[in-house]
Amino acid sequence: NPTNNISRHSYEDISEHPQVEWAIPLSLGDSHKGYRVVGTTTQFYQHFRFARGQKLQLEQGEWPGQTYDAVVGAEVAAALGYKPGDEIVIAHGSGDESFITHKDRPFKLAGIMKRTGTPVDRAVYVGLKSIDSIHQGYAGDVHDHDPLAAHDEHTAEKEQGGLSAILLGLKSRGDAISMQRNINEHDHEPLTAIMPGVVLLEVWQMMSVVERILMIVSGLVVVVGLFSMLIILMTSLNERRREMAILRSVGARPAHVFILIMGEAVFLTLLAIGLGVAMVYGLMVLMQPWLESTFGLYVVISWPNTTELMLLMIIALCGLVVGLIPGIRIYRYSLADGMTIKV
C-alpha cells in the first residue's frame, strides 16, 4: 500500500544515477474487480525476476504493444475466466467495489502471464501512459505522451506525485548501501529505500522460533524411532536365544553374537537414514515445480551441507548406542546358554 507518491523529477534523478542499471516505475491506486492495477513500463517485463532469477513469461497472448493493452497474472485470469482479446475496465480505488470506473477508456487484454506463485499473479498490468491518460484527461495523441518526461518546470510540478514506487537494479551489489543512503537523504523530497533481502532476513529471524520448534519435533521423531528399534530388538531376544545357542554350538563366540546384534542395529539405522534422505530428495524433485508455481517457493536441490551431515552422523551414533543394550543382553545370554548342558 503506497504511503505517499513520488514525483517524476525524483524518478528521473534516481534512474539516471551512475550506479543504477535499470529502474521500474510503479503506479498504484486503481483496481479491477478486486485485483490491483499496476501502471508500469516495458522495463518491468524485461528486468523483473523471481525465484532465483527467473523471467516473467506468457502463458497466452503477447506482451503489450499498444497504449491501451493490458496483461494479467495467472490468478486473475483463472478467477475471472479471461482470455486474450477480452475487454477490461478498470476502476478508481483498490476496493472490491467501486462507483468510479473508466468505461470510456477500456483496455484490451493482450496476454496472460505464466503462474509465478508471487503477487505478480494477482494483478493487472497496464502502461503508465494509459494510466496518465485516463486520470489527467490528456486530450492529445496518447501515443506521443511520455508520462516520465517533464518538459518544463510547470509540467514537472503538474505531474508530481504520479508514481507510487520504483524498483531499482544496480550495476554492482556493492553499491547497495551507498545507494540506499543517497535515496534516504534525497534533497528533492523525503524517500525511503528498502532492500528486500534485508527485510526478508529480518522476517526469517522473527520466524526462527518456528524453525526451532520444528527442529525439536524432528528430534522427538528420531527419539521415538530409536526407542521403537530398541523395543523390537529387546522383544526378539528371548525368541532368538535358541538361535544364538545353535550358533554357539557350531563355534560362534559370544563376541560374534554381540557383533551380530550390533550389526542389525547399525543396519536398521543406516537403512532408515538412507530411506529418509532418498524420500526428502525425491519429494523435492517432484514438488519443486508445484511449490514454485503455487507458493513462489524456489527449493534449491543441493548436497547435504556440513550441519545436515553432522546431524545424520549423530543419528547413526545414537543408533549404535541403542544397539549396545540388546547386544550386551544377548552377549550374557549366549555365555549362560553356552555353559549350560541341556538334554
Side-chain angles (χ1 to χ4, degrees):
N1 294 316
T3 57
N4 196 12
N5 288 332
I6 303 173
S7 68
R8 303 296 171 87
H9 180 274
S10 295
Y11 168 79
E12 293 174 353
D13 186 34
I14 294 173
S15 62
E16 294 173 0
H17 194 279
Q19 295 177 340
V20 175
E21 183 174 3
W22 49 261
I24 301 174
L26 301 177
S27 178
L28 305 176
D30 290 327
S31 64
H32 175 67
K33 298 184 178 181
Y35 293 98
R36 290 294 185 97
V37 173
V38 181
T40 186
T41 64
T42 56
Q43 295 272 63
F44 176 76
Y45 312 115
Q46 295 172 0
H47 298 293
F48 187 85
R49 297 290 186 271
F50 69 99
R52 298 293 181 95
Q54 294 197 46
K55 299 176 63 175
L56 296 174
Q57 298 181 13
L58 287 174
E59 184 72 33
Q60 301 179 43
E62 57 187 14
W63 295 114
Q66 303 296 324
T67 302
Y68 286 103
D69 281 353
V71 293
V72 298
E75 188 172 323
V76 177
L80 303 179
Y82 281 158
K83 61 182 182 301
D86 289 345
E87 192 175 88
I88 294 178
V89 175
I90 68 175
H92 186 70
S94 57
D96 293 339
E97 300 292 341
S98 178
F99 298 99
I100 304 177
T101 60
H102 303 287
K103 294 182 179 179
D104 56 327
R105 297 289 177 86
F107 288 82
K108 176 185 176 183
L109 181 57
I112 299 173
M113 287 185 282
K114 288 185 177 181
R115 187 173 295 275
T116 65
T118 70
V120 173
D121 298 339
R122 302 187 295 273
V124 178
Y125 298 88
V126 299
L128 274 180
K129 294 181 180 181
S130 56
I131 287 290
D132 279 8
S133 175
I134 62 178
H135 287 112
Q136 298 179 7
Y138 187 78
D141 185 1
V142 72
H143 290 274
D144 298 330
H145 174 54
D146 185 358
L148 298 180
H151 303 293
D152 51 39
E153 183 177 354
H154 175 72
T155 305
E157 291 300 323
K158 180 180 179 181
E159 292 183 342
Q160 180 160 337
L163 299 178
S164 304
I166 307 170
L167 302 181
L168 294 180
L170 304 183
K171 297 178 180 178
S172 172
R173 289 180 178 268
D175 297 332
I177 301 299
S178 62
M179 192 64 197
Q180 184 182 38
R181 183 177 64 252
N182 291 335
I183 294 175
N184 291 338
E185 298 175 354
H186 197 261
D187 296 331
H188 187 67
E189 60 181 323
L191 300 174
T192 300
I194 300 172
M195 289 190 289
V198 176
V199 177
L200 288 174
L201 182 60
E202 294 175 354
V203 172
W204 282 117
Q205 290 175 346
M206 293 171 58
M207 298 295 292
S208 60
V209 175
V210 178
E211 185 178 1
R212 285 196 292 268
I213 293 175
L214 291 176
M215 286 294 295
I216 292 174
V217 172
S218 300
L220 292 176
V221 170
V222 172
V223 171
V224 170
L226 292 173
F227 270 104
S228 299
M229 183 180 70
L230 175 62
I231 292 172
I232 292 172
L233 292 175
M234 293 295 293
T235 303
S236 65
L237 286 185
N238 287 330
E239 301 174 358
R240 302 180 66 180
R241 289 184 65 174
R242 183 176 179 83
E243 174 188 344
M244 298 306 168
I246 294 174
L247 291 176
R248 288 297 311 278
S249 67
V250 295
R253 298 180 180 180
H256 294 157
V257 176
F258 173 79
I259 293 174
L260 179 63
I261 297 298
M262 287 295 299
E264 291 184 8
V266 172
F267 172 76
L268 290 174
T269 304
L270 295 180
L271 179 62
I273 291 174
L275 289 175
V277 172
M279 290 179 62
V280 167
Y281 278 90
L283 288 174
M284 287 172 63
V285 171
L286 292 176
M287 298 186 66
Q288 185 186 49
W290 180 77
L291 289 173
E292 183 180 342
S293 61
T294 306
F295 300 104
L297 298 176
Y298 184 74
V299 179
V300 179
I301 301 177
S302 60
W303 292 105
N305 56 35
T306 305
T307 302
E308 293 167 344
L309 291 175
M310 286 295 297
L311 289 174
L312 294 177
M313 291 178 62
I314 291 174
I315 294 174
L317 182 61
C318 291
L320 181 64
V321 172
V322 167
L324 287 174
I325 299 175
I328 293 174
R329 179 67 62 86
I330 200 66
Y331 177 84
R332 293 177 177 175
Y333 282 168
S334 64
L335 283 177
D337 293 339
M339 293 184 295
T340 303
I341 301 176
K342 296 182 178 180
V343 180

